[in-house]
Amino acid sequence: MECDKRFSSDYMLLNHEELSLSDLFRLLFSSDVEKRKVVDSKENKEESFERRWLMFVSIVVQKTLQFFSRPLSFVGSCIEMWLGLLSSNGGFGGLLLNVLTGKVVVPDKESATFVSFIGNFDKRTELDKSIERGDPRYNAALAMMAAKASYENPIYIQTIVNNHWQMEFLGSFDFWNEYQNKATTQAFLMRDTTQPGEEETIVVSFRGTEPFDADAWCSDFDISWYEFPGVGRVHGGFMKALGLQKSLGWPKTLQQQETHSSARPNCKFSYYEIREMLRELMRRNDRAKYVVTGHSLGGALAVLFAAVLTFHGEEMLLERMEGIYAFGQPRVGDAKFGEYMKGKMDEYGIRYYRFVYGYDIVARLPYDNSALMFKHFGTCIYFDRNYQAQVVVEEPNKNYFSLMGTLTMIWNAMMEIIRSFTICRSHGEEYREGWFMRLFRIMGLLIPGVPAHCPQDYVNSTRLGPPHLFSSSL
C-alpha cells in the first residue's frame, strides 16, 4: 500500500523492504537520493556523507534483523525455556537430579510463574513497603515496577498486580503496527486502588524492546522521521509502533472501515485504544488521574502518547495526566519538538521525568548531532553507580562513543560487577543480584552501557534515590 505523506510538512523515510545492493551503495556514495527506492524524502539531494552513512546502517540493520527474525525468536524462546527449567527445578543441580529421576518440571510459558528473559535479570515482584503513598518517590517506584512487569505474559502481570500489589489489573493488550503489518506493540493498564476515598490512579505501561524481538528492534533502528507543522520532527519508527496510520497520519478518530479489513481483522492501534479506555475510566470517576510509563522503547511510546494527545487537543485527558515516567528512554524528536512538548507540559501541569542510570547506551541514542538532529528534553534525573542522583539537562557522555568515555565506562562496569556482590550488605537482601544479572554485567566490560539498561538498576534508583528529587517542584 502506497503511503500519502501529505499529513506531514516534511519527511525522510527508509524502506528496507525495497533493498537492492545497487541502490544501497548509490545511497552511500551519491548525494542524489531522489530515485532511490530505499529512501523516500522531499529532498532530492543529501550532501552529508555522515547522514547517508547513518541511513545506510539503519537500512542494513533492519534488513538483517528481518532476515534473522525467526532464528532470533527461536533462540530467545530456547533461552527463556532453559532459564524457566532452571527456575522451576531449583537450579542446575535440581534440574540434573530431576532429569535422572524422571521428575523434570516443565514450565508453562503462559503461566503466572514463567519469567521472561528481561524478567530474569530482576525477579523482584513486591513493591518497596517503605515507599508509601505521599512519599515523592511513590509514583516513580510504582511506574518502574509496572514498566518492568510489562515484559511478562498477561497471566503473570495479572497475578503480580492483583495478588502482590493488591491493585486492580485492567488488561494486557497487543496492538497493530500498520507499517510492519502485524501486532508488535504491547501495553497493560492497572488501577492503583490504595488511595483514600474515590481517588485513584490509572497506570498505563508500555512494553520496551524485547532482546529477541526483531520487529521491536526494527522500530528502534528505523531513523525515519516525520515533521509536523508547529511541532517539529519526530522519530518515525516509534510513531509507527504507537499507531501512525498510512496516508492519514494521526486522524483524531478512526472510522470503522479504517480499523477492520479482511487483511487485518479486529486490528487495534495502541494510541487510539488506550485513549478510549482512559476516556471511559476518567468519565467513571471525576477524581481519577493517570500516569504513563515505560522502559526503553516503552518510555519513548509513553512520551509520544502524550504528544499525540496534544495534537488532538484532548483537554480532559491532558488535564488528568499526572505524570510521564520514562526509564532508559531513547530520543524521540528534534529540538523544535522538545520545545513544543515543554510548552505543552507546562500548559497542562504534567510532570515528565526521564530517568537515566549510569552509562545506559539506549538513553544516548539516536545521536544528538547535526546528522540526526535528535534531542532529549524535560527533567533528567541521572543516577551514578552508587545511585547518587542529580537533576541534569543532559546525561554525561551524551552520545556514548568517545575514547575517554569508553575507558571511564569500562572502569564503571568493573565497579558495578564488584557492587553486585556487596549491595545486599549495604542496602539489604532485597537488592541481592542473581547469577544471571552478574553474568550479564561482565558483558559491560566488552560493551559498556548494555547491562546499565537493565530494569534492575532503574528499580534500585527509584527506591534508593533521595525523595526531594521526585518532588512536584521539579
Side-chain angles (χ1 to χ4, degrees), residues 274-309:
I274 292 173
R275 184 187 66 178
E276 291 309 307
M277 286 186 272
L278 287 174
R279 281 176 174 172
E280 180 61 26
L281 290 165
M282 297 300 108
R283 278 195 290 262
R284 291 179 188 174
N285 185 350
D286 291 338
R287 298 179 67 181
K289 293 187 177 182
Y290 70 99
V291 299
V292 190
T293 186
H295 168 259
S296 190
L297 167 64
L301 298 180
V303 173
L304 291 181
F305 179 80
V308 182
L309 287 178

Side-chain angles (χ1 to χ4, degrees), residues 390-403:
Q390 56 182 316
V391 176
V392 296
V393 175
E394 189 73 68
E395 56 273 16
N397 195 18
K398 70 176 184 178
N399 281 332
Y400 184 74
F401 294 103
S402 72
L403 178 59

Side-chain angles (χ1 to χ4, degrees), residues 55 87 99 149 194 244 274 354 463:
M55 293 177 184
S87 178
V99 168
T194 63
L244 183 73
I274 292 173
R354 182 171 64 86
R463 296 183 177 193

Side-chain angles (χ1 to χ4, degrees), residues 49 62 69 80 122 135 364 416:
F49 177 79
Q62 289 182 72
S69 61
E80 285 190 338
D122 182 1
D135 188 315
R364 293 166 170 83
E416 286 176 336

Side-chain angles (χ1 to χ4, degrees), residues 88-105:
S88 300
N89 292 275
F92 183 76
L95 176 60
L96 182 60
L97 179 62
N98 286 349
V99 168
L100 294 174
T101 58
K103 298 180 179 179
V104 175
V105 179

Side-chain angles (χ1 to χ4, degrees), residues 324-338:
I324 305 168
Y325 296 86
F327 304 90
Q329 169 218 313
R331 297 181 177 101
V332 298
D334 65 1
K336 185 177 179 181
F337 173 75

